[in-house]
């Protein structure tokens, strides 16, 4: 069994802990938190680096700005230390330990459960023997495990921001427009689900519909005239132009 220490108490750490609890391949022996957290058993929580125990793998799951500081604070040398960031390179970790990355490609919310078996886990290590360790960990909780370099992971994270974070912001705008006009946002749910499911069988370019791709200027102008919010109007114009530019390629 691989013994793991989790450093961090955010959404990623919480979901990782829950996933590891369901496998017999990995045992989380400690969780390092700044303050007492209700998301982890109190019996395994520690709040000082001096309390950390020897383990096979130390998983740092904190904000990107804190990764370097946390890695330097681990009071061991030549141990396998990985972080869970999508944007930070492997070399952000302190060189006193063997370094790696254990990046789950998913959006995590504290109260929303996820099926970890469907989440892609992107792995990277300095040494081949260390890769075998974290690959075993990854395969114990996910069916989708892939070796991804730091540069590839950076590209993947940018793509994820476009595909997830920006799309969710557009949901927010759609929700505001519905709310302001006494329409339940839920009426759009079937449309949203169909849009997401189509790209499993079609490329995004093939799946694109709407007035922009049709160059329906009459409808576009009506929409722009309807939108009174300056920010919404600018986003509508920018995305319309972007869709039309893609079609020209």
């Amino acid at each position: 069994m691989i013994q793991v220490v989790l450093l961090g108490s955010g959404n990623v750490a919480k979901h990782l802990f829950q996933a590891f609890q369901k496998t017999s391949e990995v045992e989380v022996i400690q969780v390092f938190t700044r303050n007492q957290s209700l998301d982890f058993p109190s019996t395994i929580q520690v709040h000082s680096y001096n309390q950390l125990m020897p383990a096979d793998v130390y998983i740092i799951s904190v904000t990107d700005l804190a990764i370097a500081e946390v890695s330097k604070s681990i009071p061991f040398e030549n141990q396998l230390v990985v972080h869970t960031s999508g944007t930070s390179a492997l070399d952000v970790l302190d060189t006193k330990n063997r370094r790696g990355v254990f990046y789950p490609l998913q959006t995590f919310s504290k109260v929303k459960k996820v099926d970890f078996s469907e989440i892609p886990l992107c792995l990277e290590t300095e040494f081949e023997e260390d890769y075998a360790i974290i690959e075993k960990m990854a395969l114990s909780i996910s069916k989708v495990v892939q070796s991804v370099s730091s540069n590839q992971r950076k590209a993947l994270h940018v793509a994820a921001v476009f595909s997830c974070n920006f799309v969710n912001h557009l949901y927010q705008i759609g929700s505001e427009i519905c709310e302001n006009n006494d329409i339940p946002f839920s009426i759009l749910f079937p449309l949203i689900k169909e849009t997401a499911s189509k790209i499993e069988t079609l490329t995004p370019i093939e799946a694109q519909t709407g007035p922009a791709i049709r160059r329906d200027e009459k409808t576009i102008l009506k929409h722009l005239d309807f939108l009174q919010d300056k920010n919404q109007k600018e986003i509508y114009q920018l995305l319309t132009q972007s869709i039309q530019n893609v079609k020209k390629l």
Side-chain angles (χ1 to χ4, degrees), residues 6-131:
L6 270 175
L7 296 101
S9 58
N11 290 337
V12 176
K14 174 188 173 182
H15 286 284
L16 271 176
F17 176 76
Q18 292 174 344
F20 286 140
Q21 289 293 95
K22 299 175 182 177
T23 177
S24 60
E25 301 290 333
V26 176
E27 179 188 10
V28 178
I29 60 173
Q30 280 185 322
V31 179
F32 176 87
T33 62
R34 296 290 186 184
N35 302 295
Q36 194 73 15
S37 172
L38 297 176
D39 293 325
F40 311 97
S42 59
T43 53
I44 64 171
Q45 289 186 55
V46 296
H47 314 296
S48 168
Y49 291 109
N50 293 329
Q51 296 175 286
L52 292 179
M53 297 167 54
D56 298 308
V57 184
Y58 296 82
I59 302 179
I60 297 176
S61 185
V62 297
T63 62
D64 285 10
L65 292 177
I67 293 173
E69 177 190 349
V70 172
S71 70
K72 289 179 182 178
S73 301
I74 295 174
F76 301 107
E77 295 183 2
N78 198 34
Q79 300 299 304
L80 178 54
V81 177
V82 303
H83 68 64
T84 60
S85 169
T87 56
S88 295
L90 181 146
D91 60 14
V92 73
L93 296 167
D94 194 282
T95 56
K96 69 182 179 183
N97 285 303
R98 295 158 16 235
R99 302 177 294 181
V101 178
F102 194 88
Y103 169 52
L105 178 58
Q106 185 54 277
T107 174
F108 294 100
S109 298
K110 190 171 185 177
V111 297
K112 177 72 167 59
K113 291 185 178 181
V114 297
D115 180 1
F116 228 98
S117 67
E118 302 293 333
I119 296 176
L121 289 173
C122 305
L123 312 181
E124 181 183 11
T125 58
E126 288 183 288
F127 306 108
E128 188 175 341
E129 56 269 30
D130 287 335
Y131 186 88

Side-chain angles (χ1 to χ4, degrees), residues 130 132 140 153 169 241:
D130 287 335
S140 75
R153 193 173 63 260
H169 180 65
Q241 188 62 59

